[in-house]
Amino acid sequence: MDLWVCEGIGLSEGQSKSERLKIQKEKVLAKGGRNFVLPTKGGNQEALCLQLDFVPLWLAKISITPTMEQETPELAARLMKYQLKAKDVLAAAFVPTAGGYTKFSKELQAIFMLDNRTVQHEQRIAALADTLEDPKAEDPFRRAELRAALERALADLSGEQRHALYCRYWLEVPADSRAHNAAL
């Protein structure tokens, strides 16, 4: 993969040089790259070649910068379309679908199941938060009911998950509301 491939997809000379350096320095891409000395009319020329099966990964790793979008919008759009398709292919290969955990190691199966449970709990908590009325409203029965539902949802979470939600609460809820809720 020398300048002609980079030119072929629409990279400028500067972008091409940057991509060649990335291929040489990046550990995974470097496994597929190799320098060759080619005889030409102008003398021997060094060319960086990339194995064909590394080209899709290389294309997926090209950064789409604001400068690229401004100077070469067609290239940026093609790369974005390709990279989104690559994301879908990778997700299909590595992200389990419902009930599709069995092709993964036991450790990964456990991680995926815990992640799904965390998402479900966050959705339940978000639903409860959406039902909260004005915290200053005077309805002690409703506050007690919501507090009990929230405590049930929190009881299913691990200590680390509760801690993460607690931290998020302190970052997102205004101080006067936190003080009022603590008094409840």
Side-chain angles (χ1 to χ4, degrees), residues 5-137:
V5 173
C6 294
E7 284 178 4
I9 66 168
L11 294 177
S12 69
E13 187 175 333
Q15 291 168 322
S16 298
K17 287 180 183 177
S18 174
E19 290 304 317
R20 283 197 299 273
L21 285 174
K22 183 188 343 179
I23 290 169
Q24 292 169 330
K25 291 182 178 182
E26 203 278 330
K27 289 188 182 238
V28 175
L29 291 175
K31 290 182 183 293
R34 185 163 177 205
N35 285 314
F36 288 99
V37 177
L38 303 174
T40 66
K41 291 180 183 178
N44 288 341
Q45 301 289 323
E46 191 171 298
L48 174 64
C49 297
L50 187 63
Q51 291 176 11
L52 188 58
D53 58 341
F54 280 81
V55 172
L57 178 63
W58 168 66
L59 289 170
K61 294 180 116 188
I62 294 176
S63 295
I64 303 168
T65 64
T67 303
M68 180 189 284
E69 289 179 309
Q70 187 175 33
E71 293 176 2
T72 53
E74 290 176 5
L75 170 62
R78 282 194 321 267
L79 280 172
M80 185 173 295
K81 183 178 178 182
Y82 172 83
Q83 290 175 357
L84 288 171
K85 187 166 186 148
K87 176 228 17 130
D88 292 340
V89 170
L90 288 169
F94 294 106
V95 177
T97 56
Y101 296 117
T102 56
K103 65 181 177 180
F104 297 99
S105 70
K106 297 289 183 196
E107 294 83 5
L108 279 176
Q109 289 179 34
I111 290 169
F112 290 137
M113 284 193 261
L114 285 173
D115 184 55
N116 282 340
R117 285 195 62 169
T118 301
V119 168
Q120 290 169 356
H121 289 305
E122 287 176 348
Q123 289 170 343
R124 286 174 50 202
I125 291 168
L128 287 171
D130 290 343
T131 64
L132 287 176
E133 297 173 19
D134 181 358
K136 297 177 183 170

